[in-house]
Amino acid sequence: MIYIVLAHPYPSQSRANKALLDAARSLSGVEVSSLYDRYPDFDIDIAAEQDALRRAQLVVWMHPVFWYSVPALLKHWFDKVLSYGWAYGDGGEALYGKDCLWVATTGGSAESYSATGIHRRAFADFTLAIESTAVFCGMNWQPPCILHGAHEIDGEALASQAGQLRQRLEPWLVAREG
């Protein structure tokens, strides 16, 4: 099973995240937890989230990038769900060997994430905290799927990006079914 943890504060207003989510959700074996729909009061059902993670072989963290990081509720989810003794530390091996894919959207263009761009750094410089979270929990970090320029991307390019995500997930599902 693929477990997608969607952390968009306004999922109905996001054209880019919706297209990516729809492409992934159309595959069999995908379960989605839309954190802001499910936990508007930030009161996360830790047992339910951990149960879904136990069943998953691939965990997808999908969200828009906010201030070079994750939205607040996803950070809170990390703090509560990825707990000591469960996800890391003594006896914390629940996620060991599971794959983790980061699917994120940015408002800025790919060019804005460069030494000469507005952010003055390559986007890869901002991935370390997310990657380290997965690796610290014993997960296999997959190369991320990043969609830049989410506010301005045209329909054709967006459909292409969504198709690329689906194509990435399909072989993963087939390999695990056999």
Side-chain angles (χ1 to χ4, degrees):
M1 186 266 280
I2 295 175
Y3 189 54
I4 297 176
V5 180
L6 174 67
H8 197 299
Y10 310 103
S12 65
Q13 297 174 23
S14 173
R15 190 171 67 89
N17 276 270
K18 181 180 182 332
L20 294 170
L21 182 63
D22 288 348
R25 187 183 273 167
S26 68
L27 298 166
S28 63
V30 173
E31 186 177 322
V32 177
S33 178
S34 179
L35 297 183
Y36 282 89
D37 287 336
R38 197 168 181 187
Y39 308 116
D41 57 1
F42 279 53
D43 188 16
I44 295 170
D45 185 340
I46 296 166
E49 293 296 322
Q50 288 178 344
D51 182 55
L53 289 169
R54 270 189 206 93
R55 294 189 321 269
Q57 289 304 310
L58 172 65
V59 177
V60 176
W61 294 328
M62 181 182 290
H63 64 88
V65 173
F66 284 3
W67 288 106
Y68 312 107
S69 189
V70 300
L73 186 50
L74 183 55
K75 172 60 171 84
H76 183 61
W77 185 92
F78 288 159
D79 293 342
K80 295 298 185 181
V81 176
L82 306 181
S83 60
Y84 180 85
W86 188 83
Y88 70 94
D90 293 334
E93 298 178 355
L95 301 176
Y96 187 81
K98 294 180 186 287
D99 292 328
C100 183
L101 175 63
W102 185 34
V103 178
T105 58
T106 71
S109 67
E111 295 78 27
S112 70
Y113 289 96
S114 68
T116 58
I118 191 169
H119 302 292
R120 300 176 47 191
R121 298 189 176 279
F123 188 79
D125 290 351
F126 302 105
T127 67
L128 188 56
I130 309 302
E131 179 179 352
S132 295
T133 299
V135 172
F136 192 71
C137 294
M139 300 174 83
N140 303 315
W141 181 252
Q142 304 299 307
C145 175
I146 308 299
L147 186 152
H148 292 290
H151 302 300
E152 298 176 356
I153 193 169
D154 66 43
E156 186 176 319
L158 180 56
S160 174
Q161 289 280 334
Q164 288 174 31
L165 175 60
R166 183 184 166 91
Q167 287 173 356
R168 256 186 94 182
L169 297 176
E170 283 175 331
W172 190 93
L173 286 169
V174 170
R176 277 128 186 104
E177 289 173 357

